[in-house]
DNA sequence: TAAGTAAGTTGGACAGTACAACTAAGCATG
DNA sequence: CATGCTTAGTTGTACTGTCCAACTTACTTA
């Protein structure tokens, strides 16, 4: 039933007398936005988590949680702006890759009442992962049972969905490019893919795919190391990710 | 922006005296769920739309809109249950393919105030597309400029996102199987793919892909027509869709 | 019996990955 | 300065699955 409304109300929801209209004078769910922020640190995929406070009425005191919070109807023009705000507040990072992940809402996920969260996931380069980090924020590797320690709300589920979505898309997109610094070598990019996918990739197929995509371009510089120097590349367009027509190998 | 909900409500969110906790005693966005319901009718991909009423305070009177409405915190255990409820109310269909599409929220999408909708998309077989259809609901083909006539809210954008997501996934999944009747032939399945993708597919590659996937099984029956009869198949498991390792051809 | 149409098969060309061996360029060691 | 080690990058063959087109099969209609 597409709820009709009482008199209403624009922005201030006066409850019109006896009109029982769902949504306007019925209780509204809490609305939050959470952001799963990934980076690569120490050869591992890591997520930014916050230690929650323990003020009065605060659920899940001292637990770890994803960065996020209530939508501020006065400050946030839309959901994505809200997500960017929370991202910036916690990392100082301006505009990395940000994608909507999904939403989770139920009567029970927040002890304070029916609540729905809009989850986003962001990829930021390791170089930006340290700067201006909020004091209550910390990076956690998610290998094995690493981050399992119970997260607040249903954030463990959201995090798992984010990892799954990321792994899935890395299989056939150029998303890991957003985890790289401005300049990077092909072996570094491949390593990033391998860390996210948690499996080794074929060197020559990987190079063929990346080089034939309209994704990166060589710059006039090399990365010197103890061995043969590697050609440095940079992203061609800071724009949209590339979608490949296949996964790397049988997804099974 | 005024409107706090007085004392209220939900699962008991008492507002502690003077505590100014965002979200609890701050205004909450409206929360809705919308469902994009697809089927194949008359050799075309079609969507279910509703003609809105024109009661007092109703935004977008008489406009077309996606089926949906406010989350009912008393009846809906979670968002997906809410989506299934709305799906059932409008089509009578019980449990087709239902996937979360994303969420749209902003200060301006609903004239009544800051609102966020959780969008789902559903696939139902043509056979079920007629039964128990709500009186205000109607199927619309979305060829060319078919359904362009302005939809309420940002529903045009949501619909476009749904079509894009569907087309994308059809490229490398077995989603169209959920648009089929219980028994179907391979040419019928291929035709469904072609309708959704709006381009012809190669017969032999299509057959190879479908038959080598663990998706369908032949039944001991044939579809008789004016020409050579076709083998009938059914879905092996009513369960999860199959993901193929490639798209059908270069997506560009 | 012949023509027509759609179902289903077959085979060669092609694209991109899988696998493995190879060359290239730097460093460290003696 | 030659040798060996390590990583960057290339080459070539095998294989998988699509692309493309011709072919066979089965049934209807004239």
């Amino acid at each position: 039933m597409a709820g009709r409304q009482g008199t209403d109300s624009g922005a201030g929801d006066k409850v019109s007398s006896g009109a029982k209209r769902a949504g306007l004078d019925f209780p509204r769910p809490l609305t939050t936005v959470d952001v799963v922020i990934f980076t690569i640190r120490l050869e591992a995929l890591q997520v930014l988590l916050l230690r929650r406070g323990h003020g009065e009425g605060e659920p899940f005191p001292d637990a770890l949680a994803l960065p996020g919070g209530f939508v501020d109807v006065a400050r946030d023009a839309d959901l994505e702006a809200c997500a960017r705000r929370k991202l910036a507040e916690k990392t100082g990072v301006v505009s990395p890759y940000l994608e909507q992940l999904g939403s989770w809402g139920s009567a029970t996920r927040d002890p304070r009442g029916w609540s729905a969260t809009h989850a986003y996931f962001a990829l930021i380069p390791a170089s930006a992962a340290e700067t201006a980090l909020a004091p209550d924020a910390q990076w956690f590797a998610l290998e094995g049972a690493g981050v399992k320690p119970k997260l607040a709300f249903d954030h463990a589920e959201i995090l798992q969905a984010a990892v799954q979505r990321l792994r899935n898309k890395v299989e056939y997109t150029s998303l890991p490019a957003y985890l790289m610094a401005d300049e990077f070598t092909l072996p570094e990019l491949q390593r990033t893919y391998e860390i996210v996918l948690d499996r080794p990739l074929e060197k020559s197929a990987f190079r063929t795919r990346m080089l034939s995509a309209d994704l990166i371009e060589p710059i006039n510089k090399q990365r010197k190391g103890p061995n043969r120097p590697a050609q440095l590349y940079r992203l061609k367009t800071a724009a949209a990710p590339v979608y490949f027509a296949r996964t790397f190998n049988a997804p099974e």
Side-chain angles (χ1 to χ4, degrees), chain A:
Chain A
M1 279 298 149
R4 35 241 137 57
Q5 277 44 85
T7 52
D8 154 277
S9 130
D13 46 344
K14 290 321 192 230
V15 174
S16 66
S17 54
K20 299 207 60 162
R21 253 75 231 239
L24 287 188
D25 45 359
F26 269 50
R28 304 181 178 187
L30 296 165
T31 301
T32 59
V33 167
D34 293 306
V35 189
V36 185
I37 308 172
F38 289 113
T39 197
I40 302 280
R41 286 171 80 239
L42 307 175
E43 295 278 294
L45 184 62
Q46 304 210 344
V47 203
L48 194 69
L49 296 177
L50 270 60
R51 184 67 66 179
R52 289 178 62 82
H54 45 275
E56 70 167 319
E58 283 259 24
F60 302 98
D62 300 313
L64 287 172
L66 295 170
F70 293 107
V71 168
D72 185 336
V73 301
R75 298 169 60 195
D76 299 317
D78 56 33
L79 289 174
E80 186 173 316
C82 180
R84 287 194 189 283
R85 175 169 67 82
K86 290 175 191 308
L87 178 61
E89 283 172 1
K90 293 305 172 188
T91 67
V93 171
V94 190
S95 129
Y97 180 78
L98 185 67
E99 166 182 331
Q100 201 182 67
L101 175 62
S103 55
W104 279 257
S106 79
T108 56
R109 62 179 295 279
D110 187 320
R112 292 167 297 188
W114 223 106
S115 84
T117 193
H118 304 262
Y120 284 76
F121 88 84
L123 304 178
I124 70 175
S127 49
E130 316 289 352
T131 64
L133 205 61
D136 53 344
Q138 199 184 331
W139 292 106
F140 289 84
L142 32 81
E143 289 318 311
V147 89
K148 290 287 169 51
K150 45 197 165 305
L151 302 187
F153 306 102
D154 48 6
H155 287 188
E157 188 183 338
I158 295 174
L159 175 56
Q160 189 189 331
V163 173
Q164 193 171 319
R165 168 93 132 251
L166 176 62
R167 290 231 166 99
N168 233 338
K169 293 192 86 163
V170 164
E171 201 73 62
Y172 61 93
T173 68
S174 63
L175 283 204
Y178 296 104
L179 293 166
M180 309 303 293
D182 289 343
E183 305 177 349
F184 54 87
T185 69
L186 273 180
E188 285 166 2
L189 182 58
Q190 180 174 350
R191 187 79 195 103
T192 299
Y193 269 86
E194 291 173 340
I195 288 169
V196 176
L197 292 176
D198 196 26
R199 77 165 190 270
L201 296 179
E202 282 307 313
K203 184 170 44 165
S204 70
F206 181 83
R207 297 178 69 92
T208 303
R209 173 183 287 205
M210 292 302 150
L211 290 174
S212 63
D214 189 37
L215 177 67
I216 58 178
E217 59 189 359
I219 61 177
N220 195 15
K221 211 162 29 161
Q222 295 190 328
R223 166 97 66 224
K224 309 246 182 238
N227 307 308
R228 174 173 174 173
Q231 176 64 48
L232 278 165
Y233 294 84
R234 68 174 165 218
L235 279 181
K236 254 185 179 166
T237 60
V242 173
Y243 284 72
F244 303 103
R246 314 186 176 182
T247 58
F248 271 105
N249 56 15
E252 215 67 0

